[in-house]
Amino acid sequence: MIALALRLAVAGGREALVRLAAIAAAVAIGTGLLLTTVAGGHATNAQLGRYASMYPQETAGGAADPLLWSTRFDYFHGTQLQRVDVAATGPTAPTPVGVPDVPGPGEYYASPALRKLLASTPADQLGDRYPGRDLGAIGPAALTSPDTLLILVGGTPDQVGALERVRKVTRVDGNRAPLPETAIDLVLGVVAGGLLFPVLIFIGTATRLGAARREQRFAAMRLVGATPRQISVVAAVEATLAAAAGAAAGFALFLAFRGQLAAIPFTGMPYFPDDLSLGAPDVVLVALGVPAGAAVAAWIALRRVRISPLGVTRRVTPRPPRAYRLIPLVLGLAGLGLALGYRPETADGQTALFLPALLLVMTGLVAGGPWLTMVGARAMAARASRPAALIAARRLADNPAAGFRAVSGVMLALFVTTVAVGVMGTIAAERGPAPRGSLEAGRLSFNLVNDAPVPATLLTDLAAVPGVRDPLVVRQNPARGGGHESGVIACADIPPAYGRCAPGVAVAEVASGLIPWQESASADRIWPASPVDPAALPGLPVDSVAVDADGPATVERARTVIEAAFPAFVVAPNVPGDFEADFANTMRGWQRLADVVVVSSLALAGCSLAVAVAAGLSERKRPFSLLRLSGAPVRLLRRVVALESLVPMLTVAAVAVGMGLVAAHLFLRAQMHYDLRLPGAGFAAVVAVGLLGCLAVIAATLPLLERVTGPQTARSE
């Protein structure tokens, strides 16, 4: 039977070969996206593992000598640089990941990206912060991505031991990254679900191309004596043949474009190409699962033929879907609602609650889609006043599952789009974006800790930097806290760009660096008066250093001077926007990931819709041909086809957007205690463009209607 099945699959003429090629092409695209999604998850986990290598846990005891370790952050033109200071306390101290040995005093290793930056940047802007001998590049095992800016600086035990947050490390493996694991697991889970569901729907839709034609052929084989088992073998072989060819092509597409995919900063930073890899279980699962899924889909599609071969030609109306299909949707929303009152303490517990709930919502939307389509079709039939609307409504009501199948990808795409835009937009609105232009403002400040001594030449050295204006120090306020600002300064020393004192005031209370937290410098600000005696100011400890610099290059030169004066700094000198830029970069990475999901899911939805509409036209050639013979014009049939796709699409679009907003709100309330900020015009534009694109796909298939519904079709079928 297998040989006969292979012969039937390729010997059916041009139509059969075109159908097999179309199925293989669709499965290839779906398989390529499926592999990219799986490999992307592995690559992200690899990024987190490498990030964790720079945060070794402090360990007590053990035979190895401790390695002193301190991690700090620096900035350069709004980009974060990671600095790790290490010192071996003995010959058996562990070696950091990615380097051959522990750097000694006056030595350092740097990541390839940072070495390239150091070589292309004047030393007084960056290189002078890291005096010493360059021992070489840090290996990929310690780098989150090829663009990571990381430096590993050696020092003496006394130097590193005096730094803040220093830890004693006797092992450098088995670390956990200091990142919000729950948020990462949830985002990756939703991303995987948001991509996998449309991919699987696309593959399933593609394998149903020509299903009606094959049902008729298999029914004829049953009538001449073929057993149900033989029919199942023939159908499975035909579907598996096309799916296997498509899966192989999908693997080839993934391998061909893996380098380009790795360079896309899905998470805010690119991947190493080797990280975008597949494990043996992944390869086996996809290579066997896709063809097996196609065979199962073909087997399920022939259930009417197995029951009765005459059932195909009689076209018995299937039973209408029931409302119980909405149970997974209700359970998913209930799970998200449960998190409002009960939020597990552990990251694994939160993931175990949120992720299945969101996936249940997506499953419920797919399962309940036929019922929603039936409701919409019956509503249209009750109000139909034209023949096209009545025919379309009756056909949808008779078989809502077939009508929904064409738009199921659109529903999931809109749901994922709504959740992604709602969550990301709300987080950005709550935390605020990075202030525009603040990185170029030149308001550099540096906060001292532990009453660090200020070199006598610091202000002179800063003033000698071309473009630096008004370098000054802010003294500690003896009355800091309780509503008082942390610093004090003589009113005569406040530069005009930072504000002024009220008339008659000699000493003012000011914020560190003369800029309040999360605010900008203002010439109109009036600082409150301080009771500190002006003569006592020089005797107070220094709180912070402030510099008004002219341009980004001057900022970096001044930053280098300050870091050279305070090599044990805890928080690097910064301008307003440095910290916000870190958050903005992270948000841009997740937003880019959301954009990828949105674009990919909408594109897959459009492809699924095109395949489903084309398959539907092929399956309905005979009834449409009979309608044409009875006098129905082609334009009437086009309206019927358009309405059969448009009504379920609009119905599920409204439900998907609504459920997406509800799911996003429940997630935000339970996880972050934020209220959903309704998406604005940009989201409406995305939805409108997506729906218009789907309408364009439907319109592109309508010219086929006249070609496939001629009188010859009615005679030949």
Side-chain angles (χ1 to χ4, degrees):
M1 284 302 298
I2 294 179
L4 176 62
L6 291 173
R7 186 174 179 182
L8 289 174
V10 299
R14 180 180 177 183
E15 180 183 355
L17 293 177
V18 170
R19 182 179 67 247
L20 290 175
I23 294 174
V27 172
I29 296 173
T31 302
L33 290 172
L34 180 62
L35 294 173
T36 301
T37 303
V38 174
H42 294 326
T44 302
N45 288 332
Q47 279 189 339
L48 294 178
R50 291 194 172 103
Y51 191 81
S53 69
M54 291 296 101
Y55 289 88
Q57 299 173 353
E58 183 167 0
T59 52
D65 295 318
L67 175 70
L68 301 184
W69 186 293
S70 176
T71 301
R72 296 180 286 172
F73 294 98
D74 198 357
Y75 298 94
F76 182 78
H77 291 307
T79 301
Q80 189 181 80
L81 285 70
Q82 189 174 4
R83 172 173 176 159
V84 177
D85 292 271
V86 294
T89 60
T92 61
T95 300
V97 175
V99 297
D101 201 358
V102 180
E107 299 176 336
Y108 66 83
Y109 292 95
S111 65
L114 182 54
R115 297 183 76 204
K116 183 178 179 180
L117 183 62
L118 288 169
S120 61
T121 304
D124 60 351
Q125 293 186 34
L126 182 61
D128 289 346
R129 304 180 198 179
Y130 315 114
R133 185 163 62 97
D134 181 4
L135 297 180
I138 299 175
L143 304 179
T144 309
S145 84
D147 293 345
T148 298
L149 300 177
L150 170 66
I151 189 166
L152 191 67
V153 181
T156 66
D158 291 339
Q159 290 172 336
V160 179
L163 299 176
E164 292 287 328
R165 296 189 291 270
V166 66
R167 64 193 70 182
K168 296 180 179 180
V169 177
T170 57
R171 52 178 297 183
V172 294
D173 56 348
N175 305 309
R176 303 184 66 182
L179 295 174
E181 297 177 9
T182 303
I184 291 174
D185 290 342
L186 286 171
V187 169
L188 291 179
V190 174
V191 167
L195 284 176
L196 289 178
F197 270 69
V199 166
L200 296 176
I201 288 174
F202 182 37
I203 294 175
T205 302
T207 56
R208 290 184 58 86
L209 278 172
R213 184 74 170 178
R214 282 176 289 170
E215 283 183 351
Q216 292 177 359
R217 186 179 66 191
F218 294 148
M221 294 173 64
R222 285 288 312 278
L223 289 174
V224 298
T227 65
R229 181 178 180 181
Q230 290 173 327
I231 294 298
S232 297
V233 171
V234 172
V237 169
E238 184 178 7
T240 303
L241 175 64
F251 274 95
L253 286 174
F254 169 75
L255 294 175
F257 292 99
R258 185 174 66 165
Q260 291 84 342
L261 291 171
I264 300 174
F266 292 121
T267 59
M269 60 190 75
Y271 297 123
F272 285 101
D274 290 342
D275 289 341
L276 204 65
S277 60
L278 300 169
D282 303 323
V283 174
V284 172
L285 185 61
V286 175
L288 298 181
V290 170
V296 171
W299 181 79
I300 294 174
L302 294 176
R303 59 188 180 277
R304 291 185 298 168
V305 180
R306 291 195 304 272
I307 296 171
S308 170
L310 294 178
V312 174
T313 56
R314 290 176 180 173
R315 295 293 179 185
V316 178
T317 301
R319 291 190 303 173
R322 304 294 183 182
Y324 68 80
R325 287 171 169 267
L326 298 176
I327 290 177
L329 176 62
V330 175
L331 291 177
L333 294 176
L336 292 175
L338 175 65
L340 294 176
Y342 169 71
R343 183 172 178 267
E345 296 294 332
T346 64
D348 292 339
Q350 293 174 34
T351 303
L353 176 61
F354 284 111
L355 186 54
L358 288 171
L359 295 180
L360 264 178
V361 171
M362 287 191 278
T363 303
L365 288 174
V366 175
W371 184 83
L372 296 171
T373 301
M374 182 187 68
V375 172
R378 290 178 176 177
M380 182 174 70
R383 295 170 174 80
S385 59
R386 294 178 178 272
L390 183 60
I391 295 173
R394 291 303 183 189
R395 289 180 59 82
L396 281 174
D398 285 345
N399 194 358
F404 171 73
R405 191 180 301 122
V407 297
S408 56
V410 178
M411 169 180 257
L412 282 180
L414 290 176
F415 174 77
V416 172
T417 298
T418 305
V419 173
V421 173
V423 171
M424 294 297 175
T426 299
I427 294 175
E430 290 286 345
R431 300 188 180 182
R436 296 261 180 208
S438 61
L439 297 179
E440 290 76 30
R443 313 288 192 241
L444 185 69
S445 61
F446 173 69
N447 294 336
L448 280 70
V449 295
N450 300 329
D451 297 334
V454 179
T457 61
L458 175 62
L459 296 183
T460 303
D461 294 339
L462 287 171
V465 176
V468 166
R469 299 183 297 268
D470 304 318
L472 53 86
V473 295
V474 176
R475 303 288 176 173
Q476 288 184 11
N477 187 358
R480 62 169 52 191
H484 294 278
E485 297 286 357
S486 62
V488 290
I489 191 173
C491 291
D493 294 336
I494 300 177
Y498 292 93
R500 62 185 186 278
C501 298
V505 176
V507 178
E509 292 186 351
V510 295
S512 294
L514 295 176
I515 303 177
W517 173 246
Q518 291 187 331
E519 294 186 28
S520 301
S522 173
D524 298 328
R525 180 175 285 111
I526 298 178
W527 297 102
S530 170
V532 173
D533 186 351
L537 276 177
L540 296 176
V542 174
D543 172 77
S544 58
V545 178
V547 175
D548 188 5
D550 183 14
T554 305
V555 168
E556 300 309 329
R557 292 188 180 96
R559 195 181 334 236
T560 301
V561 170
I562 295 175
E563 290 188 16
F566 300 96
F569 67 86
V570 178
V571 178
N574 56 87
V575 298
D578 275 336
F579 303 125
E580 293 88 343
D582 290 341
F583 170 73
N585 288 334
T586 301
M587 286 302 303
R588 276 193 292 270
W590 294 117
Q591 186 64 55
R592 190 178 292 109
L593 189 60
D595 293 342
V596 169
V597 176
V598 169
V599 173
S600 299
S601 56
L602 286 175
L604 283 170
C607 293
S608 299
L609 182 61
V611 172
V613 173
L617 289 178
S618 177
E619 293 174 0
R620 291 173 290 180
K621 288 190 294 185
R622 188 168 186 272
F624 281 165
S625 298
L626 293 175
L627 283 173
R628 285 194 64 187
L629 287 176
S630 64
V634 175
R635 63 178 180 275
L636 175 65
L637 301 183
R638 289 174 178 169
R639 291 173 185 166
V640 171
V641 174
L643 287 172
E644 284 185 21
S645 300
L646 184 62
V647 170
M649 185 174 68
L650 294 180
T651 302
V652 302
V655 173
V657 171
M659 289 298 99
L661 292 175
V662 171
H665 175 70
L666 292 176
F667 172 78
L668 288 166
R669 284 297 307 165
Q671 185 68 14
M672 303 177 182
H673 305 292
Y674 292 160
D675 289 322
L676 174 69
R677 304 287 186 94
L678 289 177
F683 169 72
V686 170
V687 173
V689 169
L691 294 178
L692 288 175
C694 293
L695 293 177
V697 169
I698 297 172
T701 61
L702 294 181
L704 297 173
L705 190 61
E706 187 172 3
R707 295 172 52 188
V708 301
T709 58
Q712 69 281 1
T713 303
R715 287 196 301 267
S716 61
E717 298 204 5

